[in-house]
Amino acid sequence: MGKSIIRLIVAFGILVLLAGCFKGEQSSKEVDPPQNAEAVNGEETEEGEDTAATPAEAEDTVSRELYLIDSNGMVASQMVDLPVPEENQVAQQVVEYMVKGGPITPMLPNGFQAVLPEDTEVLGIDLQEDGTIVVDLSEDFSEYEASSELPILEAVTHTLTQFDNVHKVKLRVDGVDLKEMPVNGTPINNGYTRANGINLTNNDTLDYFNSSPVTMFYPAEQENNRYYVPVTQYVEMEDESDIAGVINELMDGPGYQNQVVNVFSPEAALTEDPVIEEGVANLTFNEGILMDAEQHIISDEVMETVVRTLTQQPDIDAVNVQVENVDEVFNENGEPYSAPVSAQLYTPGEEL
């Protein structure tokens, strides 16, 4: 018994001695933190030093197109990463993320704002078999300025019709169908579609009797954020298949008042009449369409502007761009356009 106690005392003394040695070695030279080290989530130790926390798993998100208002008052889309919603809650979620002061607020790109009045609630969503989606909103939806009425309608309609099986939007307030908008009386009895236009541009010199509304896409920039603004213009067309009229109007641009960029060279021109075959619009331009004539490169913005615009037209799903006297054209990364380009390249489609 006495020998056991002696052994314990000796062992304890050795441990104390070793601990003191190790402590002395550590304190004799401080260990510098790695350069550029940052605190994780602002956490600190009790001594005030930054700590390296284990990264939390990122929340699952899905990218969706929301139509918002830019700094110029234009309705334009932004791709926003939203939390993956519960089943059958996709349409309700995108509308909820369009409410001022709602969950979109910390995610808004610089210069953009949401369109629906603050405190608006989504009471219900009903997608009908014919592609009409009925959105039931709370009474707070009616609290907006008259000047905001068309932007609200356009934004909601274009956001919901991004889904391939949604073609028309109808609105309710507290379960009551709206025949017209509540503030300025815009008629919506039969529903609102993309055919009603967006960011409508008027031209006093145009013959509207022989013209048709066409939505064209132009790039714009806000603090290094490049995005596309849809602008509905009236275009003089012989018939719905007059794609040449659309392209010529697109290359002319919408005018300086819309605060967008015309990406086409003044020398760019069609050299043949466009031909539509099996949903593909075949276009042939002169070399003025190229940003680099030696490398046969078409700027990405020119291609996206053309594709986004023409695929809004009936019976056009993709665009094939050719240049006279050039065997093959390339994008800015040097990749050949070996197949027609569809809008799916820029805004992937899905169904509700």
Side-chain angles (χ1 to χ4, degrees):
M1 179 73 176
K3 290 182 179 180
S4 299
I5 294 174
I6 292 172
R7 289 194 188 100
L8 288 172
I9 293 173
V10 171
F12 180 78
I14 292 172
L15 288 173
V16 172
L17 178 62
L18 289 173
C21 291
F22 290 145
K23 182 178 180 181
E25 289 177 2
Q26 289 177 335
S27 60
S28 64
K29 183 178 180 180
E30 293 184 359
V31 179
D32 293 328
Q35 291 185 353
N36 301 325
E38 297 180 355
V40 179
N41 296 329
E43 294 181 358
E44 297 182 347
T45 64
E46 292 183 359
E47 291 80 9
E49 295 178 351
D50 294 340
T51 61
T54 303
E57 292 185 4
E59 183 179 14
D60 290 337
T61 60
V62 59
S63 186
R64 293 263 153 72
E65 190 175 28
L66 300 183
Y67 278 78
L68 308 167
I69 305 295
D70 72 4
S71 61
N72 297 312
M74 306 289 282
V75 183
S77 70
Q78 291 285 286
M79 298 303 295
V80 181
D81 291 332
L82 305 182
V84 174
E86 296 180 7
E87 188 176 0
N88 299 324
Q89 297 295 308
V90 174
Q92 177 160 335
Q93 182 193 55
V94 295
V95 177
E96 289 173 344
Y97 271 78
M98 299 175 70
V99 177
K100 294 179 180 179
I104 187 62
T105 303
M107 309 166 68
L108 285 170
N110 288 335
F112 278 82
Q113 59 179 303
V115 295
L116 294 181
E118 195 168 356
D119 297 326
T120 298
E121 296 180 15
V122 182
L123 304 180
I125 297 279
D126 178 23
L127 177 59
Q128 302 173 350
E129 291 185 2
D130 66 352
T132 299
I133 192 166
V134 182
V135 183
D136 191 6
L137 302 170
S138 66
E139 186 63 36
D140 298 285
F141 171 70
S142 303
E143 301 297 324
Y144 59 84
E145 299 292 331
S147 59
S148 299
E149 187 160 283
L150 277 178
I152 287 172
L153 261 178
E154 294 167 359
V156 172
T157 298
H158 279 70
T159 296
L160 289 172
T161 54
Q162 73 180 283
F163 301 106
D164 296 338
N165 55 338
V166 178
H167 310 302
K168 182 186 295 185
V169 177
K170 288 187 175 182
L171 299 177
R172 291 174 179 165
V173 171
D174 284 342
V176 179
D177 290 338
L178 293 182
K179 295 182 179 180
E180 60 182 29
M181 288 290 282
V183 175
N184 212 35
T186 302
I188 55 172
N189 187 46
N190 294 320
Y192 217 75
T193 72
R194 290 197 174 201
N196 290 102
I198 184 170
N199 297 317
L200 188 65
T201 297
N202 294 317
N203 186 338
D204 294 336
T205 64
L206 196 64
D207 179 6
Y208 285 94
F209 185 77
N210 294 315
S211 302
S212 299
V214 176
T215 298
M216 305 184 181
F217 287 79
Y218 297 92
E221 188 168 0
Q222 174 69 34
E223 297 184 15
N224 298 321
N225 173 23
R226 199 79 162 180
Y227 57 96
Y228 282 80
V229 176
V231 178
T232 299
Q233 302 169 239
Y234 276 85
V235 179
E236 293 186 17
M237 302 169 62
E238 295 180 1
D239 52 51
E240 288 186 354
S241 63
D242 184 12
I243 302 305
V246 175
I247 291 296
N248 289 331
E249 191 74 23
L250 180 66
M251 291 192 294
D252 285 343
Y256 67 91
Q257 71 272 16
N258 285 306
Q259 304 296 319
V260 295
V261 179
N262 188 346
V263 294
F264 295 92
S265 165
E267 288 75 32
L270 289 167
T271 58
E272 299 179 14
D273 289 334
V275 176
I276 302 174
E277 295 178 331
E278 298 181 353
V280 176
N282 296 284
L283 310 177
T284 303
F285 292 90
N286 62 9
E287 292 189 2
I289 199 70
L290 300 173
M291 69 175 294
D292 186 329
E294 292 184 1
Q295 300 296 322
H296 304 157
I297 294 175
I298 295 179
S299 84
D300 294 344
E301 287 183 335
V302 165
M303 183 62 78
E304 186 166 353
T305 297
V306 171
V307 172
R308 280 179 176 265
T309 297
L310 289 190
T311 53
Q312 297 287 310
Q313 302 304 303
D315 304 323
I316 297 181
D317 302 315
V319 179
N320 178 38
V321 174
Q322 297 178 327
V323 178
E324 62 177 359
N325 302 320
V326 173
D327 293 332
E328 195 169 35
V329 293
F330 301 83
N331 64 21
E332 292 184 23
N333 292 326
E335 300 163 340
Y337 285 109
S338 55
V341 182
S342 73
Q344 296 282 334
L345 179 63
Y346 311 112
T347 53
E350 63 175 314
E351 291 190 351
L352 290 178

